[in-house]
Every structure is written in C-alpha cells, then in structure tokens.
Amino acid sequence: MSGSPVIRARSLNKVYGAQGAEVHALRDVSVDITGSTLTAIMGPSGSGKSTLMHLLAGLDRPTSGTVLYDDLELSSLSDRQLTSLRRNLIGFVFQAFNLVPTLTVLENVLLPFELGGTKPSGEHREWILERAAELGLMPLLERRPHQLSGGQQQRVAIARALAIRPRVIFADEPTGNLDSRTGVEVLAMLESATREQDQAVVLVTHDPAAAAWADRVLFISDGRIVHDVGRTDASTLSEMVLELGGAR
Amino acid sequence: MIRLTLRELQVAPAQHVATLIVTSLGALFATIVIEADRVLASQSAAGGFLAHGFVRLLLDVLGSVFLFVAIFVSCIVIANTFGIVMTARARRIALLRLLGAEGRVLRRGVMLEGAIVGAAGGLLGTAIGVAVVAALIPLLTASGTFVPTPSPLVTPLLVAPALIGIASTTGAAWFGSGRVSTVTPLEAVGAGQEPTRTELRRRRRPWLVRGCLSLGTAMLVAGVAIGSRTPLGLFIAAPGGAVSFLGFVLGADAFLPPVLQVVGRLFGGSAPASLSRGNALRHPQRSVRSAVSLVIGVTLVVMFAVAAACFSTEAGAVAATAGPQEAASDAAFVTLVLGVLGVLIGFSLAIAAVGLVNSLSLSVLQRRREIGLLRAIGLERRQVRLMVLFESLQITLTGSACGLVLGVLYGWAAALTALSSDHHIGGYFLPTVPLPLVVAVVVSSALLAVVASLAPTRRATAVPPVAALAVD
C-alpha cells in the first residue's frame, strides 16, 4: 500500500517575528511523505499545519532543518530551480482562487506546460483529456472559470494538478468552499490519484470528515506532530480534534 | 506565455484602457509637436517671423524639449499604471508563480502587453494628431493668424510618435512590472491574507534617488550657466531637470508622506478626516503613487506657465526698446507660441487625470473589506463619502503644492537657460509667477480631484457592511 518516501523532512523549525516576539510555528518536525498514500494534516487554527505544508511544498523556507525531494535539498535550490520543481513535480489544489480567470478550462489544465514553454506529447495530451473526461470536464473545456460552479472549478484544479503527473499533490482545504456532496466527490478523486498514479497526496484540513478519507492522519498542535495514525473514522478523528482543542 | 499575454488583452482589455489613453495622448502630444514645429517653421518663413535669428533656434529647441517631456511624462504615468495593474493582478501572478512560472518570464509577458498596447496607442495618437492639425490649419488661416502657405503634413518623422509609443510603453511596462518579481507563490495560498502586504516589500533604492537628484541638479545648474552664452544650454538643462525630477519621483516615498501629513491636518478632527489622514499614513505608498501623477502634471503646467511668463515679461521689455514693427511681430509670435504651449500643457493634465482616477478607484477596490468594517461598526454613508473625498483632496493638494514649488523652479531655470543669452535681455532675472494662472491650476486640480473621486466614492458608499466578512 504505502510506497517509498517522496519527501523527507527532518527537524523542521519555523520561527516568525522579530527577536523578543518570536512565534514558533513549527518545532522540530520530522516526517516522511510517501507515494500512493493520502496523508492528511489536521490541527486547530494556528497549529502550524499550513506552515508545514508551505515548507514541504517549497513555498517557504524553514528557519532550520531540511526538506528532501529524493536527493534534492530544497534549501539549496535557487528560486528558479524551486519554480521548475513546482512546475514539474508538484500539483496544487486550494480552497479558492485556483484558476486563472482569463483562461479557458482547457488552457487552465494545460497551464503548467504553457508556463514551462513545453507541450505535452500526443500521448500525454490524450492521457490528460482522459482524466478530464473522468472528471466530467469534457463539455466545459471552452468555458471560463466564472461560468463554473465551485465543484466544477475544483475539478478543473484537480485535472491541472494531475496533468503534469506530479510526484505529490498538495491540497489545502480543497473542500472548504464546497457542499458536502461535492466535497465527497473531490476527496474521492484525490484518493483515486494515490491508487492509480502512485502519487502522494497531502491533504491539509480541519474537517474530520475529509481527513477520514486519508490513509494516514498527522495531528499538529502548537507546532509539533502530536499524533500520527493510520486510517481512522471521522468520529474518532473529531474526538481527537476536540481533545487537542482542550474541549471540556 | 504569449498566449497568456494575448488572452489577458483579449479577456480583460479594461485594465489597459488607462495605458492606451496615456500612450495615445503621448503620441498625440508628440505628433502635434512635430507638426507644430513644421507648420510654425513654414509660417515664420512665409510670415517674416524670422526677424530674430535666435527665435527660430528657440522654437526648434523648445520643440525638442517638449517632445522629450512628453515621452518622459507618459513613461512615468504608464509605469505607474502598470504598477497599479500588477497590484490588481497580484493574486493571479502569485498563482502562476505557484504553478511554476518564472518571474522573469512573467515580466517578459507584461512587456509584450506593453508593446502591443503601446503600438495601438501610438498609431491612434498619431492618426488623431494629424487629423487635428489638418483641421486646424484652414481654421487658423481663415481667422488670419496664419498666412496661406502650403504646409505638407506627412513627414517621415511621423513614424517617431508610434515608435516612441511602443518603446516607451514597453520600457515603462518593464519598470512598472517590478512588482511581479516581488510576488511570492505563497500569496496564492492564503485566502485571507492582507492583500496589501506585498506592497510593503517594495525595494528601496536610496542611492539611485540621491544619484538622480545630485546629477540632475548639477546638470540643471550647468545648463543655466551655459544658457548665459547660448540657448543650447537647454540640451543640458532639460535632461538635467528630467533626471532630478526622476529622482524626486523615485524618492517620492520618502519626500511626500510628510507633506501629506501636513496637508491632512487642514481638514480638522472629524471622524472621516482623521480616518482619511490615517489611511494616508498607513498606506503611504498608495497615496504617494496617486499624488505623484499629479505632481508631474502640475509641475509641467507651472513650469511652462512660469517659463512663458518670463518670456513675455523679458521679451516684452526688450520689445519696448526695439522698433515698433519688430515689436508687433514679436508680440504676435509670442501669442502664437503661448497658444501652442496652452494646447500642449492640456495633455500633461489629462495624463495626470487618467492616473489619478485609476489610483483612486484601485484604492477603494482594495479597501472594500475595510470600508465594510467601518460601515458595520457605524460609519454613515455620508461619512464614507467625506472620507474618500478628504483622502482625494489630501492627495491632490499635496500634489499641487509640490508641483507648484518644483514647477516654479524648473520654469525659472528653463527661462534663464533659454533667454539670458539674448543680447537684448543679457543677464539673469527673477522668475515671473503668473498668479492668476497658478490659482487656476490649484483650483482646477482640486476640482479634478473631486471629479476623479466621484466614481470611487460611489463605489465606496455602495460597499455593504457584510463585505467585512468576505474572505476574498
């Protein structure tokens, strides 16, 4: 089931703010993100879960510690190399504002290629269109994002993330703006990416129902990983969340 | 990348309307200068205006300076406009960066946008300019101002405004899109992030400001000194003035906030007044950007007004000592030149106005949530209206005040350089500041501010209190 580590993070620390008013967003976090696995990162607001995602995705640099993609150490990369890494190895899906409003659905899906100045091969393009068809996007390819529902927009973002066949997909509260039924569809699509493409999917969420889809759930509290559990049902996850939040 | 650029132009052309207008105005400006120089030259040859050899030289020198100024002004305003467009597009840029676009590549795309808009504006402005001149000549001939003489309008020089439009807009797009490289991919992630936070990370270049100011001032002084021998000193003084002014514009982040603060105190201590004063101090860059486009316009207007007034005063004094026929010819010539100057001056104000409307609208758009919050906690609609108006006035009065001071200095310098070598005048003189014109400039720029704030004010008062709760 679980593949080899795609990302290896070691002793990550992240400190914000000036001296005397430091905020420790992450304290000595080490974690492996493995392929073919849907990993959920849970935690209350301000716990450091977004910070961890930013560091793992190379969007921000740790105060200390290392993030390794295979043998590539992120902190040693230039902005240009990081950009290329994001373009070629990482897919992103977010809660909102995922798509470029001026481009059509198809152009949005093919955007990572356009940005790299490349074109997908004929076979690759065929494959992308198959994924788009699975996601129900075929009738929408010439539309623009504002003509789509929230769920449809999210599916376009997933198609774009899948298009480059990334090693890892980061999904930050991807169901946050969706009704529960559409949210379930989106989660199912992310899960199938781990099955069919052997990809690692990192799902950042505070919603236990979403995290219940994950093969592995990491709980973050006060900048530390406090629980690291396998597949767990939503009600157990909510109890764990409530416990962390200091509920009475 | 090219497709993204073209799509940006195709789907959202509205964001470049301001640039198109400014480029067209600039090209129109340049076209009219070229045509005016040709027409006036053929007129002065046919009408015997060439009594003074130096008048023709002066005319050519002034024409070149005007052209230079036109390019300079539109570059600054276009760079500002592109800066504003990039600010409005920051979220989209961040998304592209996140998906793996290099900042360099994105910036090239923006330059391409600039080139395309510049080409369109350049052609449009040239066409309008030729049409206007073609229509004016028969009118002026009929009214007796012009002597009937053939004035061919089409000259190879007319390629220049279009080329200048492309080159200046492309260059200005490059300078104005500096923000693109400061947008981090991280900005695409946080939905609730303060949208202005990138604005705070602008690079500061104090050495460049100091360099421009000292080099420009030195050239200006040298030009004035050379001016006591020959009006050719203008060729040193004008770039010097431009460079020192560029220094002022680049350093406006440092120079203008104190002035804004002082002007803000004029409005008293009511809630809208103190709120708008707070806004100006909290987001100084935003206010400064708006004020600068006005400073440019007002400086130019006052500079030309002061230079022209000096010319009138000094040349008038000379004329009194010369023969009556020569005096009448001189007076007619001065009136003609002043008329042409008046037309040219209008452009700089128009360009500044476009910049101001643009900035104010964006300022309100960016503050939607904040205005919603103020409404939610009890600010009346009327007070919102006052708040925007005060802020607008604060900006324009600051711009006018700075423009007045700079304009008098530059105009005086220009007049000294151009005129002090004339054997009739021979020496330095104090600046003639035409008070009615200065008052008119201040009043009209204040009026302009009110007019420019109409649309943004309407937008601000339409913000519902629930906007405070919006995520985006």
Side-chain angles (χ1 to χ4, degrees):
Chain A
M1 201 18 243
S2 75
S4 54
V6 176
I7 310 173
R8 281 173 294 160
R10 291 291 172 269
S11 313
L12 292 180
N13 281 284
K14 182 69 183 178
V15 183
Y16 291 109
Q19 260 192 342
E22 298 102 337
V23 177
H24 289 264
L26 283 184
R27 297 166 193 266
D28 198 32
V29 169
S30 295
V31 64
D32 284 351
I33 301 295
T34 44
S36 310
T37 306
L38 177 54
T39 305
I41 302 179
M42 289 197 79
S45 315
S47 58
K49 60 183 192 297
S50 292
T51 305
L52 178 58
M53 190 207 89
H54 296 162
L55 296 184
L56 292 178
L59 294 174
D60 204 354
R61 291 179 194 275
T63 310
S64 66
T66 56
V67 178
L68 283 167
Y69 275 63
D70 299 328
D71 291 326
L72 277 181
E73 215 246 283
L74 290 196
S75 61
S76 71
L77 300 182
S78 69
D79 181 65
R80 223 174 137 181
Q81 290 167 312
L82 270 178
T83 303
S84 153
L85 178 96
R86 283 199 302 274
R87 196 165 61 224
N88 297 311
L89 296 182
I90 306 179
F92 288 100
V93 180
F94 294 115
Q95 176 173 3
F97 204 78
N98 262 307
L99 307 175
V100 178
T102 51
L103 299 180
T104 66
V105 165
L106 182 61
E107 286 166 339
N108 263 293
V109 171
L110 297 177
L111 188 56
F113 299 97
E114 176 91 22
L115 295 178
T118 59
K119 274 196 161 59
S121 64
E123 173 269 330
H124 193 163
R125 197 185 155 91
E126 204 106 304
W127 181 87
I128 292 171
L129 287 176
E130 274 169 36
R131 297 290 84 70
E134 281 172 15
L135 291 163
L137 298 178
M138 289 319 269
L140 309 174
L141 289 183
E142 292 310 314
R143 299 230 189 134
R144 292 214 284 120
H146 66 87
Q147 298 168 308
L148 306 181
S149 70
Q152 287 170 329
Q153 290 186 22
Q154 220 54 338
R155 274 185 263 166
V156 177
I158 291 174
R160 182 193 59 211
L162 292 175
I164 54 169
R165 295 172 170 161
R167 296 285 301 278
V168 53
I169 295 177
F170 288 97
D172 190 0
E173 303 279 5
T175 58
N177 276 355
L178 304 178
D179 62 75
S180 52
R181 198 172 59 86
T182 322
V184 165
E185 282 174 23
V186 164
L187 291 165
M189 288 167 204
L190 289 173
E191 193 200 30
S192 78
T194 66
R195 306 267 174 280
E196 288 157 27
Q197 301 299 320
D198 300 329
Q199 277 152 344
V201 176
V202 178
L203 172 69
V204 176
T205 185
H206 65 267
D207 178 8
W213 285 77
D215 303 306
R216 177 189 181 197
V217 184
L218 304 173
F219 278 90
I220 303 231
S221 182
D222 294 329
R224 290 196 176 87
I225 295 181
V226 289
H227 296 297
D228 184 349
V229 297
R231 188 176 277 272
T232 308
D233 66 87
S235 60
T236 313
L237 287 173
S238 350
E239 274 169 32
M240 295 169 81
V241 170
L242 289 174
E243 215 172 283
L244 280 180
R248 295 200 294 174
Chain B
M1 235 26 252
I2 291 177
R3 187 186 315 173
L4 262 179
T5 300
L6 295 180
R7 194 44 68 87
E8 201 64 65
L9 288 169
Q10 181 191 340
V11 175
Q15 54 186 340
H16 289 304
V17 167
T19 302
L20 185 74
I21 294 175
V22 170
T23 318
S24 306
L25 283 174
L28 178 59
F29 201 147
T31 306
I32 289 184
V33 168
I34 291 172
E35 294 290 2
D37 180 61
R38 283 177 60 81
V39 172
L40 287 185
S42 63
Q43 284 294 320
S44 56
F49 282 136
L50 286 171
H52 288 153
F54 100 101
V55 167
R56 180 65 211 282
L57 176 62
L58 186 61
L59 191 65
D60 283 348
V61 172
L62 273 183
S64 323
V65 173
F66 271 124
L67 200 55
F68 186 79
V69 167
I71 300 163
F72 182 67
V73 175
S74 44
C75 278
I76 291 181
V77 175
I78 292 168
N80 264 339
T81 308
F82 263 85
I84 290 167
V85 169
M86 291 307 117
T87 306
R89 224 192 264 177
R91 212 54 203 283
R92 230 179 299 169
I93 295 167
L95 178 63
L96 292 172
R97 292 277 290 119
L98 181 80
L99 293 178
E102 284 171 34
R104 206 166 46 89
V105 176
L106 286 176
R107 226 171 146 186
R108 275 209 301 267
V110 175
M111 273 175 83
L112 182 60
E113 270 178 63
I116 293 172
V117 178
L123 289 176
L124 191 65
T126 311
I128 296 175
V130 171
V132 166
V133 175
L136 274 180
I137 288 179
L139 280 178
L140 285 171
T141 311
S143 72
T145 312
F146 276 4
V147 287
T149 176
S151 312
L153 287 177
V154 179
T155 120
L157 253 189
L158 279 182
V159 183
L163 288 182
I164 289 167
I166 296 173
S168 64
T169 312
T170 312
W174 169 259
F175 279 108
S177 63
R179 252 189 67 67
V180 170
S181 24
T182 70
V183 174
T184 65
L186 205 52
E187 282 173 58
V189 183
Q193 242 159 18
E194 175 78 352
T196 56
R197 80 186 196 76
T198 54
E199 217 172 9
L200 305 172
R201 245 181 311 129
R202 279 175 48 179
R203 276 177 298 166
R204 291 186 169 275
R205 286 162 289 201
W207 55 270
L208 189 60
V209 172
R210 267 192 294 259
C212 282
L213 281 177
S214 38
L215 177 71
T217 311
M219 284 171 76
L220 196 61
V221 170
V224 171
I226 295 171
S228 66
R229 312 301 296 267
T230 161
L232 285 176
L234 272 178
F235 279 108
I236 292 174
V243 168
S244 63
F245 192 57
L246 184 69
F248 178 82
V249 169
L250 290 177
D253 276 354
F255 305 137
L256 286 184
V259 188
L260 275 169
Q261 206 167 344
V262 171
V263 172
R265 294 214 190 97
L266 298 176
F267 301 120
S270 66
S274 47
L275 276 171
S276 73
R277 194 160 50 233
N279 284 335
L281 296 179
R282 205 160 27 121
H283 296 298
Q285 291 99 332
R286 185 184 294 159
S287 322
V288 163
R289 209 183 300 154
S290 309
V292 159
S293 69
L294 208 73
V295 173
I296 297 168
V298 173
T299 302
L300 282 169
V301 169
V302 174
M303 174 175 94
F304 290 139
V306 167
C310 289
F311 187 84
S312 286
T313 316
E314 303 304 324
V318 172
T321 65
Q325 202 192 349
E326 204 180 339
S329 158
D330 269 359
F333 180 74
V334 168
T335 313
L336 184 65
V337 170
L338 279 182
V340 174
L341 289 190
V343 172
L344 297 179
I345 283 164
F347 286 105
S348 55
L349 256 194
I351 290 174
V354 175
L356 185 64
V357 174
N358 226 14
S359 305
L360 280 176
S361 301
L362 181 82
S363 164
V364 166
L365 268 183
Q366 280 189 330
R367 277 214 312 267
R368 244 185 91 80
R369 213 191 316 179
E370 180 186 315
I371 294 170
L373 176 69
L374 290 171
R375 294 276 290 122
I377 60 176
L379 199 69
E380 286 169 30
R381 223 174 233 148
R382 189 181 53 84
Q383 290 173 306
V384 172
R385 197 172 299 139
L386 272 179
M387 182 180 75
V388 179
L389 185 65
F390 278 150
E391 197 185 337
S392 159
L393 274 174
Q394 191 173 349
I395 289 166
T396 58
L397 291 182
T398 301
S400 307
C402 293
L404 264 175
V405 173
L406 291 173
V408 169
L409 288 177
Y410 285 131
W412 185 30
L416 280 179
T417 315
L419 299 175
S420 61
S421 70
D422 182 30
H423 57 282
H424 291 307
I425 299 169
Y428 294 129
F429 46 86
L430 284 174
T432 312
V433 182
L435 273 182
L437 201 74
V438 171
V439 171
V441 163
V442 174
V443 170
S444 64
S445 65
L447 258 178
L448 183 92
V450 176
V451 173
S453 73
L454 282 182
T457 305
R458 207 165 35 238
R459 212 172 275 166
T461 51
V463 174
V466 290
L469 308 174
V471 178
D472 262 342

